[in-house]
Amino acid sequence: MTRSRNEEFLLRKEDFLQSNSVDLAIFGFHETELRILLLQYKGKSWALPGGFIFKDEHLDNAAKRVLEERTGLKKIFLKQFYTFGDPERSRLNNRARQLEKLLENDEFSDEVIQWFLGRFATTGYYALVEYTKVNPVPDDFSIRCDWCDVHSLPPLIADHSQIIKKALETLRQQIHFQPIGMNLLPKKFTMPEIQMLYETIIGTKLDRRNFLRRILSYKILVRLPEKRTGVAYKAPYLYSFDHKAYQLALKMKICLRMMKRSLNG
Amino acid sequence: MTRSRNEEFLLRKEDFLQSNSVDLAIFGFHETELRILLLQYKGKSWALPGGFIFKDEHLDNAAKRVLEERTGLKKIFLKQFYTFGDPERSRLNNRARQLEKLLENDEFSDEVIQWFLGRFATTGYYALVEYTKVNPVPDDFSIRCDWCDVHSLPPLIADHSQIIKKALETLRQQIHFQPIGMNLLPKKFTMPEIQMLYETIIGTKLDRRNFLRRILSYKILVRLPEKRTGVAYKAPYLYSFDHKAYQLALKMKICLRMMKRSLNG
DNA sequence: TCAAAAGTGTTAGTCGTACACCCATGA
DNA sequence: TCATGGGTGTACGACTAACACTTTTGA
């Protein structure tokens, strides 16, 4: 079976664009944590879901394809954030040897190993997905696909921790210019839940009452008549996103500031 | 001579990373206009300065190299903004044929032409330079290198007008998070001059007095004792950037808002 | 002395922030 | 009835935006 995987890859390899790849930072939100989807290789190291680009395929499509393959999800918010072009990136962290070992163990041919150890400029995309809707699927080179809290990441191959760092930075910046949450939260959610999401992303505690006022002022939420029951305190209202207003706000790329301005000293 | 250029390129070609390139949006500011540096090919079409990446070269370095080759400038603000990954991008605008013709006329071999017509994922960088310091130099494939007002661009090859559009969008967005101007303006400049720069970039008229207060509040400018003379009205003060404060502000990536917030209706 | 443009200051209104108080729920 | 957390409202300070007046210069 490993033998056939080797041959399979060799066949597909010819259809790939050389020296380009995509890597995905797929974020989900669960139990007050911002999590990211990672793959684990046989050698225990982890990596971002990624893939190569078919010769006639748009970079964006390659990213979409990888997202779909790993999560089963379509029509998801997905955005390019940076291209990593260090010629040594695959050799960072002394993990090239590790990768080499992994692939050897897996009985891949030299040709395949050489491909993997070659230089790729990888373009990073980040996706925001609803945690519960994801069905994590490992790829041909990994044994496991699972969520990790972004604040306690396992050892990652190559420059993948840098990529995640950059993805988080981008997300933190863009949260002020885009409504987010439609893909990260379930259809119906409470005010404390969306507030926790914002707090997790920007890394600051926010005032409950001011947050409410602000987020409502953007007019992308609707309060539902229902409340969440079964909690050991006052039942909170449920909210959902107003899709039209949300899409409009996305297009407008307008400042939805959630943090203090700084630089006043 | 064209023959030797052909051979030269064939030799270098082997050292290039396949299917990757960089394109540069080099902005300068002159006579109240935001301008961009463009190359003109023999067939009259224009293009962004760009180039290929050596196999052991960092993407950022390839961009730096191209910047230096076209302008003679080093140590310039240069920032990656997007990677364009449409497989058809070189064939957009029906300019593939044009490009083909150009290269044929120039007596390049089929091999070179095929290379140019192949697929590249190009990574866009933008640079902010001091107009007067630039010495525009055409590359091996162009006959002219000159500035164009970004508001009246000539016909451009492939997707280069899209790339410029994206570069401008990025610049417009980032102006709120970075001090700019140090590279775009001469060492000494007047308040009206820097205000004009800001207005040109964000595309809005700003109130003279409010602008003054705001830009000074960021504490990246120092007022010089001198004034500009020889003008037909009250002599304005000269200012220059405080390098230390400027670099600090750059690092902090702090909100230096210059426009109204929107989305309040 | 006049026009044009720069320097300086004021004010009203909006927005952000920090609060206090009451209400609903399950233990 | 109490602890916990949600819902609603207010007040102060800071910042923004709009605007008026004075000063300097060359023609």
Side-chain angles (χ1 to χ4, degrees):
Chain A
M1 179 216 161
T2 44
R3 177 119 191 93
S4 81
R5 260 168 60 196
N6 185 63
E7 281 161 3
E8 238 176 61
F9 186 79
L10 278 176
L11 282 173
R12 268 189 304 164
K13 189 170 86 64
E14 299 307 311
D15 300 328
F16 289 138
L17 203 60
Q18 263 193 49
S19 64
N20 283 96
S21 61
V22 290
D23 279 301
L24 270 66
I26 304 170
F27 294 111
F29 187 67
H30 191 62
E31 285 173 6
T32 79
E33 281 177 358
L34 187 65
R35 299 190 180 178
I36 188 166
L37 203 61
L38 295 178
L39 299 173
Q40 187 173 30
Y41 289 128
K42 288 203 172 161
K44 302 280 185 193
S45 268
W46 294 77
L48 289 171
F52 305 110
I53 298 108
F54 289 114
K55 280 177 177 164
D56 59 352
E57 184 184 40
H58 198 296
L59 223 59
D60 295 352
N61 264 82
K64 245 190 242 176
R65 181 168 48 75
V66 172
L67 176 65
E68 201 180 321
E69 284 170 7
R70 297 298 134 252
T71 65
L73 296 178
K74 286 186 183 187
K75 292 188 184 175
I76 290 299
F77 180 88
L78 185 67
K79 194 160 181 173
Q80 184 191 309
F81 62 92
Y82 201 75
T83 296
F84 299 84
D86 189 339
E88 299 296 321
R89 43 177 297 275
S90 65
R91 277 180 276 283
L92 293 177
N93 265 345
N94 282 329
R95 302 215 185 269
R97 302 220 103 196
Q98 204 161 343
L99 181 59
E100 198 167 0
K101 263 208 234 153
L102 300 184
L103 294 167
E104 271 171 11
N105 288 344
D106 220 10
E107 291 166 39
F108 282 103
S109 68
D110 274 358
E111 198 181 344
V112 173
I113 294 175
Q114 279 318 305
W115 167 271
F116 271 89
L117 290 179
R119 176 181 177 186
F120 291 92
T122 201
T123 300
Y125 285 78
Y126 74 91
L128 305 176
V129 303
E130 199 183 317
Y131 185 84
T132 55
K133 281 196 179 167
V134 172
N135 177 31
V137 181
D139 67 14
D140 291 345
F141 308 98
S142 57
I143 53 175
R144 195 175 149 198
C145 181
D146 215 343
W147 293 99
C148 294
D149 181 4
V150 292
H151 296 292
S152 55
L153 294 170
L156 292 154
I157 64 157
D159 59 347
H160 285 204
S161 57
Q162 266 178 256
I163 296 179
I164 294 175
K165 196 178 156 205
K166 186 85 179 177
L168 277 170
E169 270 173 24
T170 308
L171 181 58
R172 265 177 210 135
Q173 221 209 51
Q174 307 228 320
I175 197 172
H176 302 295
F177 293 93
Q178 289 171 8
I180 66 139
M182 185 121 108
N183 298 298
L184 280 168
L185 294 167
K187 278 250 155 33
K188 299 171 182 180
F189 51 89
T190 66
M191 203 42 75
E193 284 165 358
I194 186 173
Q195 181 176 345
M196 177 75 72
L197 170 65
Y198 270 83
E199 288 178 343
T200 307
I201 292 176
I202 66 180
T204 326
K205 283 277 168 202
L206 298 168
D207 183 273
R208 187 168 58 87
R209 295 148 287 192
N210 295 333
F211 179 83
L212 175 80
R213 196 167 355 167
R214 206 148 7 156
I215 198 91
L216 287 181
S217 77
Y218 302 146
K219 301 187 177 167
I220 53 174
L221 296 184
V222 253
R223 187 157 96 174
L224 306 173
E226 328 152 49
K227 296 187 175 196
R228 164 138 322 155
T229 55
V231 280
Y233 42 81
K234 182 168 179 179
Y237 282 106
L238 287 172
Y239 290 81
S240 70
F241 285 100
D242 177 334
H243 282 234
K244 274 196 186 173
Y246 192 97
Q247 295 304 334
L248 192 69
L250 256 184
K251 270 189 207 163
M252 290 172 53
K253 290 184 188 171
I254 259 353
C255 189
L256 313 165
R257 205 144 53 75
M258 276 291 154
M259 270 170 85
K260 298 193 213 197
R261 196 162 336 112
S262 312
L263 193 76
N264 292 324
Chain B
M1 179 212 163
T2 44
R3 179 120 189 94
S4 81
R5 261 167 60 196
N6 185 62
E7 278 160 6
E8 238 176 62
F9 186 78
L10 278 177
L11 283 172
R12 270 188 303 163
K13 187 169 87 69
E14 299 309 309
D15 301 328
F16 288 138
L17 203 61
Q18 263 193 45
S19 64
N20 283 95
S21 61
V22 291
D23 279 302
L24 268 67
I26 302 170
F27 294 110
F29 186 67
H30 191 63
E31 287 176 3
T32 80
E33 280 178 359
L34 187 65
R35 300 191 181 177
I36 188 166
L37 203 62
L38 296 178
L39 299 173
Q40 187 173 32
Y41 288 127
K42 290 207 172 159
K44 302 279 186 194
S45 270
W46 293 77
L48 289 171
F52 304 111
I53 298 108
F54 289 116
K55 279 177 178 165
D56 59 352
E57 183 183 39
H58 198 297
L59 222 58
D60 296 351
N61 265 82
K64 245 189 244 176
R65 181 167 48 76
V66 172
L67 176 65
E68 202 180 321
E69 285 169 6
R70 295 300 132 254
T71 65
L73 297 178
K74 286 187 184 189
K75 292 188 185 176
I76 289 300
F77 180 87
L78 185 67
K79 193 159 181 175
Q80 185 192 310
F81 62 92
Y82 201 75
T83 296
F84 300 84
D86 188 338
E88 299 296 321
R89 47 177 294 276
S90 65
R91 275 180 277 284
L92 292 178
N93 264 345
N94 282 329
R95 302 215 186 269
R97 303 221 104 195
Q98 204 160 342
L99 181 59
E100 199 166 358
K101 262 205 230 152
L102 302 185
L103 295 168
E104 272 172 8
N105 289 344
D106 221 9
E107 291 167 39
F108 283 103
S109 67
D110 274 356
E111 199 181 343
V112 173
I113 294 175
Q114 279 318 305
W115 166 271
F116 272 89
L117 290 178
R119 178 183 176 183
F120 291 92
T122 201
T123 300
Y125 285 78
Y126 75 91
L128 305 177
V129 303
E130 198 184 317
Y131 185 85
T132 55
K133 282 197 179 167
V134 173
N135 176 30
V137 181
D139 67 13
D140 292 345
F141 308 98
S142 55
I143 52 173
R144 194 177 152 197
C145 180
D146 215 342
W147 293 100
C148 294
D149 180 5
V150 292
H151 295 293
S152 56
L153 294 169
L156 292 153
I157 63 157
D159 58 348
H160 285 204
S161 56
Q162 268 177 254
I163 296 179
I164 294 175
K165 196 177 155 203
K166 186 88 180 176
L168 277 170
E169 271 173 26
T170 308
L171 181 59
R172 266 175 209 137
Q173 223 207 49
Q174 308 227 321
I175 197 173
H176 301 295
F177 293 93
Q178 289 172 7
I180 67 142
M182 185 121 108
N183 296 300
L184 280 168
L185 293 167
K187 278 249 158 27
K188 299 172 182 181
F189 50 88
T190 65
M191 204 41 77
E193 282 165 359
I194 186 173
Q195 179 176 345
M196 178 74 73
L197 170 64
Y198 269 84
E199 288 178 342
T200 307
I201 292 176
I202 65 181
T204 326
K205 283 275 167 204
L206 298 169
D207 183 272
R208 187 170 56 90
R209 294 148 287 191
N210 294 332
F211 178 84
L212 174 81
R213 201 180 356 226
R214 206 149 5 157
I215 199 91
L216 287 181
S217 77
Y218 303 146
K219 302 186 175 165
I220 52 172
L221 296 185
V222 255
R223 188 158 93 173
L224 304 174
E226 327 153 48
K227 297 188 174 195
R228 163 137 324 155
T229 54
V231 281
Y233 41 79
K234 183 169 179 179
Y237 282 106
L238 287 172
Y239 291 81
S240 70
F241 286 100
D242 176 335
H243 283 233
K244 273 196 187 173
Y246 193 97
Q247 294 305 332
L248 191 70
L250 255 184
K251 270 189 205 159
M252 292 173 51
K253 289 184 186 174
I254 259 354
C255 190
L256 312 166
R257 206 144 52 73
M258 276 291 154
M259 269 171 83
K260 299 193 212 195
R261 197 163 333 110
S262 313
L263 194 76
N264 292 325

